[in-house]
Amino acid sequence: MAKEKPKEKPREIRTEVVVPYEVALGTTWTKFFDNLKEEKILGTRCKKCNRVFVPPRAFCPRCFEDTDEWVEVGQEGVVETWSYATLKFYGQIPDPPFVGAQIHLDGCDTGFMHRIAGFDLSDFEEVKKIVKLGERVKAVWSKEKHGDITDIDYFEPVK
C-alpha cells in the first residue's frame, strides 16, 4: 500500500472585494424619504391588524395585507436596545465611537434603527450613565436634507 503524502496548506491571498450597487426604492420608501426632508416620520398601517410600521412596509408581514394607509408617528420614542460601537468597518457612517439603537417611536408598533448622540461618546462608562433601556429620546434633524435616513441626524435623550 502506497504511503500518502501529507497535504500542504493551500496558498491564500488577502484582499477586499467592493461591490457597488443601486437599490430601487419603490413608492413606499420614496414617500418615506421624501417626508423625512419635511421633518415628518411616516409609517404605514395594516388595515387588518392595525399595526403601524416604521420604516414603512408595502404589506403587513403578519397578515399579508397591503398597507396603503399612511400615518405620521411621533418624533420621540423609547430605547429598546442599544450598542456602543468603537471599531470602524468599510463603508460605515458615522465614525466611531457611536451608539446604535432600536427605538420604539410613539405611535408605531415596530423598532426603528438609528443612532443616539448629542453628548460626549468618548467614555463608555459615561455613555452607560446616559443611555438606558426604556429611556426617552427625540429626533434631531440635519440642517441639510438629502431625502435619506441621514435627514434624521440622530436621536438624543429627552431631558
Side-chain angles (χ1 to χ4, degrees):
M1 183 176 239
K3 199 171 187 182
E4 277 192 40
K5 219 175 162 180
K7 292 187 178 180
E8 292 181 27
K9 183 179 176 193
R11 282 183 54 199
E12 297 175 346
I13 297 173
R14 183 172 292 270
T15 186
E16 291 182 21
V17 176
V18 177
V19 182
Y21 62 95
E22 292 181 14
V23 176
L25 295 180
T27 56
T28 302
W29 281 84
T30 297
K31 184 169 183 169
F32 176 68
F33 287 132
D34 285 348
N35 276 275
L36 289 182
K37 285 193 284 190
E38 305 299 321
E39 299 189 1
K40 294 179 184 177
I41 304 173
L42 295 186
T44 52
R45 182 189 318 271
C46 175
K47 56 189 163 209
K48 186 172 182 182
C49 70
N50 218 31
R51 291 171 67 211
V52 175
F53 303 100
V54 176
R57 299 185 183 181
F59 68 92
C60 176
R62 184 181 290 168
C63 305
F64 299 104
E65 294 286 328
D66 289 340
T67 54
D68 48 15
E69 180 187 349
W70 287 85
V71 294
E72 185 172 355
V73 301
Q75 296 186 13
E76 291 188 9
V78 174
V79 176
E80 292 184 315
T81 187
W82 65 276
S83 178
Y84 184 74
T86 59
L87 299 175
K88 177 90 171 156
F89 57 84
Y90 181 80
Q92 174 184 333
I93 302 171
D95 288 330
F98 69 89
V99 173
Q102 179 171 299
I103 301 162
H104 189 113
L105 294 172
D106 297 343
C108 87
D109 297 293
T110 56
F112 180 67
M113 298 297 295
H114 214 291
R115 65 188 188 102
I116 298 175
F119 54 92
D120 182 14
L121 296 168
S122 64
D123 181 353
F124 179 64
E125 294 305 316
E126 290 302 312
V127 170
K128 287 193 315 185
K129 293 176 185 175
I130 297 170
V131 181
K132 304 236 185 256
L133 297 182
E135 194 77 24
R136 290 200 56 82
V137 292
K138 65 179 178 179
V140 175
W141 297 91
S142 298
K143 288 180 177 47
E144 288 186 37
K145 307 293 191 296
H146 302 284
D148 61 32
I149 199 65
T150 63
D151 288 351
I152 301 173
D153 194 8
Y154 56 85
F155 284 78
E156 68 179 0
V158 175
K159 303 203 173 19

